[in-house]
């Protein structure tokens, strides 16, 4: 069977035809015609399609509406996350070469190189999937794939209350933050629900406002009538054609944004975002990875350094640009929730995130400051 699949692979490569299920089935019949019975032929077609079409044996997992992540740790170990943590699934590859071929085929479909000279790749695929792959022997246990399934879903704030992400009190607070046009950041770890919360909050913006989204890969899907989406682009296999988030933030400023939103601050583009929010662009927002709200200023220091900003410059810009941090956590049961709202307060030369509301009801030193902010326009 493996020989037939390999011959079909070579035929496809030589013909330039797209590897659709119909084309693969046709070529399998040509290569195996007369040598097998109908049952064996059907098994060959299925094997070839699993190897050559879509994400191969991972395709059913990616189509599962509950799956958010598919992780491959070599040929014999596949894990998925359905919202309640990782669990192992009975999916296997024939060998590491099969995993490697799948990784390379997916990378090539997105115009990226993946081989011994460039043994890793991070690239968005069609269909709302993001691929990260590391080839063996860099990945010592076998080629590793990490597939993040981006399922844009427009949750409303009332729905997030039902799901437990927001409490009735925090829902009122974040609604007032948006209507007051205060600039804010949503922080949290991977998979904590930052994008979901930000999209829901953007849906609260006035329908007369123009919202411009700048993202590395399209994830935000706010329920709003006037949204413009700008997506970054990686360089092609020749190293040309790159469009960075910094490029897009600068272009967005010339597109008459009422709200400028950076889907995720992860590099030098934070310097451009802070600069933009300091020049009259109120109500801007973005997400940032951080373990707690108190660590957000330090995280922005590190990102600002990539953009050529010193520590003092980052804190000076931050103090004038962003007023609030909404921090999310993901519990052991998989439930994502807003743990804390913090006010960014200048303390001498530096900015600190000072708690203003906590989900556990603990006393917060900036509670009165937050209440005063939300009663007054920004």
């Amino acid at each position: 069977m493996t020989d037939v699949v390999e011959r079909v692979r070579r035929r496809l490569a030589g013909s330039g035809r797209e590897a659709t299920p119909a084309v693969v089935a046709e070529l399998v019949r040509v290569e195996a015609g007369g040598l097998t019975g109908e049952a064996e032929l059907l098994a060959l077609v299925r094997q070839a399609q699993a190897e050559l079409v879509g994400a191969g044996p991972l395709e059913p997992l990616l189509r599962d509406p509950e799956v958010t992540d598919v992780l491959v740790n070599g040929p014999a170990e596949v894990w998925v996350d359905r919202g309640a943590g990782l669990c192992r699934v009975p999916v296997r590859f024939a060998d590491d070469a099969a995993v490697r071929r799948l990784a390379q085929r997916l990378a090539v479909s997105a115009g990226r190189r993946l081989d011994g000279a460039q043994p890793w790749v991070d690239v968005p695929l069609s269909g709302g999937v993001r691929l990260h792959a590391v080839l063996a022997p860099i990945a010592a246990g076998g080629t590793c794939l990490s597939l993040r399934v981006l399922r844009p879903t427009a949750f409303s704030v009332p729905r997030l209350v039902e799901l437990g992400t927001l409490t009735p009190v925090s829902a009122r607070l974040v609604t007032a933050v948006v209507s007051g046009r205060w600039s804010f950041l949503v922080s949290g770890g991977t998979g904590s629900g930052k994008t979901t919360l930000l999209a829901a909050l953007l849906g609260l913006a006035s329908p007369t406002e123009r919202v411009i989204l700048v993202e590395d890969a399209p994830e935000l899907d706010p329920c709003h009538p006037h949204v413009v989406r700008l997506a970054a682009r990686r360089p092609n296999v020749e190293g040309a054609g790159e469009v960075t988030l910094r490029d897009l933030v600068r272009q967005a400023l010339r597109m008459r944004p009422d709200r400028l939103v950076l889907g995720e601050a992860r590099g030098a583009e934070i310097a451009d975002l802070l600069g933009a929010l300091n020049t009259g662009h109120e109500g801007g927002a973005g997400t940032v990875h951080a373990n707690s709200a108190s660590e957000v200023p330090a995280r922005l220091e590190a990102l600002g350094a990539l953009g050529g900003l010193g520590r003092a410059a980052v804190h000076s810009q931050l103090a004038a640009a962003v007023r609030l941090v909404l921090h999310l956590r993901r519990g052991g049961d998989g439930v994502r929730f807003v743990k804390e709202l913090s006010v960014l307060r200048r303390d001498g030369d530096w900015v600190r995130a000072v708690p203003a509301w906590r989900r556990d009801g603990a006393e917060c030193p900036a509670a009165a400051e937050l209440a005063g902010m939300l009663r007054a326009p920004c």
Side-chain angles (χ1 to χ4, degrees):
M1 284 191 177
T2 303
D3 291 341
V4 172
V5 174
E6 187 58 36
R7 291 199 299 272
V8 170
R9 189 193 315 279
R10 289 197 295 267
R11 272 183 172 265
L12 278 170
S15 69
R17 300 170 70 183
E18 184 180 355
T20 64
V23 169
V24 170
E26 173 194 333
L27 294 179
V28 168
R29 290 179 182 276
V30 170
E31 289 294 336
L35 301 178
T36 57
E38 283 299 317
E40 290 177 293
L41 187 60
L42 181 58
L44 267 174
V45 169
R46 288 174 175 168
Q47 180 181 342
Q49 289 182 346
E51 281 263 349
L52 303 172
V53 179
L58 304 181
E59 191 68 28
L61 300 175
L62 297 177
R63 291 179 180 175
D64 184 336
E66 295 184 352
V67 169
T68 60
D69 295 89
V70 178
L71 309 176
V72 180
N73 305 337
E77 195 174 322
V78 179
W79 298 74
V80 300
D81 188 343
R82 292 188 171 92
L86 292 171
C87 63
R88 197 165 175 174
V89 293
V91 174
R92 300 288 185 274
F93 289 81
D95 50 30
D96 189 67
V99 186
R100 184 186 185 97
R101 286 195 299 268
L102 173 60
Q104 291 177 318
R105 179 163 56 79
L106 293 176
V108 169
S109 72
R112 297 296 300 277
R113 173 184 175 184
L114 184 62
D115 53 30
Q118 179 58 57
W120 56 77
V121 70
D122 181 16
V123 63
L125 306 176
S126 61
V129 176
R130 186 175 192 88
L131 165 72
H132 183 274
V134 183
L135 299 181
I138 302 300
T143 298
C144 290
L145 278 67
S146 302
L147 293 155
R148 165 62 63 89
V149 186
L150 311 176
R151 304 189 189 280
T153 303
F155 286 98
S156 64
V157 168
R159 178 58 178 155
L160 292 182
V161 173
E162 293 176 12
L163 294 172
T165 302
L166 294 166
T167 67
V169 173
S170 62
R172 289 196 297 272
L173 291 174
V174 298
T175 299
V177 168
V178 176
S179 62
R181 293 184 55 78
W182 296 99
S183 295
F184 64 92
L185 293 173
V186 179
S187 65
T190 300
S192 59
K194 300 184 295 297
T195 300
T196 299
L197 176 63
L198 179 55
L201 297 184
L202 294 176
L204 298 174
S206 169
T208 64
E209 295 178 345
R210 177 176 167 93
V211 180
I212 298 187
L213 308 179
V214 174
E215 298 181 89
D216 191 42
E219 293 186 64
L220 287 166
D221 188 23
C223 185
H224 191 277
H226 195 162
V227 174
V228 178
R229 296 173 174 84
L230 303 178
R233 185 175 67 193
R234 300 297 178 91
N236 60 21
V237 291
E238 287 82 27
E242 181 178 20
V243 178
T244 69
L245 291 175
R246 297 198 75 172
D247 296 328
L248 296 180
V249 171
R250 293 166 183 168
Q251 296 309 309
L253 294 176
R254 293 163 176 79
M255 297 173 66
R256 202 266 184 205
D258 289 304
R259 292 183 188 262
L260 175 59
V261 179
L262 180 60
E264 181 184 343
R266 55 193 297 180
E269 65 278 355
I270 192 65
D272 299 275
L273 179 66
L274 292 178
L277 298 182
N278 269 299
T279 56
H281 294 279
E282 300 168 346
T287 73
V288 62
H289 279 81
N291 293 326
S292 66
S294 64
E295 295 179 16
V296 167
R299 174 68 173 153
L300 297 186
E301 280 182 33
L303 299 180
L306 299 175
L309 294 181
R311 185 185 184 197
V314 170
H315 282 260
S316 180
Q317 295 254 41
L318 180 60
V322 182
R323 293 305 306 275
L324 294 157
V325 174
L326 285 56
H327 187 72
L328 285 138
R329 286 287 304 276
R330 180 176 179 177
D333 57 359
V335 175
R336 302 160 175 86
F337 57 90
V338 175
K339 180 184 179 182
E340 179 182 317
L341 273 69
S342 292
V343 172
L344 292 178
R345 180 191 291 174
R346 185 187 287 274
D347 184 5
D349 293 332
W350 316 120
V351 172
R352 294 189 301 118
V354 184
W357 175 89
R358 283 180 172 150
R359 187 184 181 97
D360 60 10
E363 185 175 348
C364 296
E369 184 177 349
L370 176 63
M373 286 172 52
L374 299 185
R375 283 195 298 266
C378 64

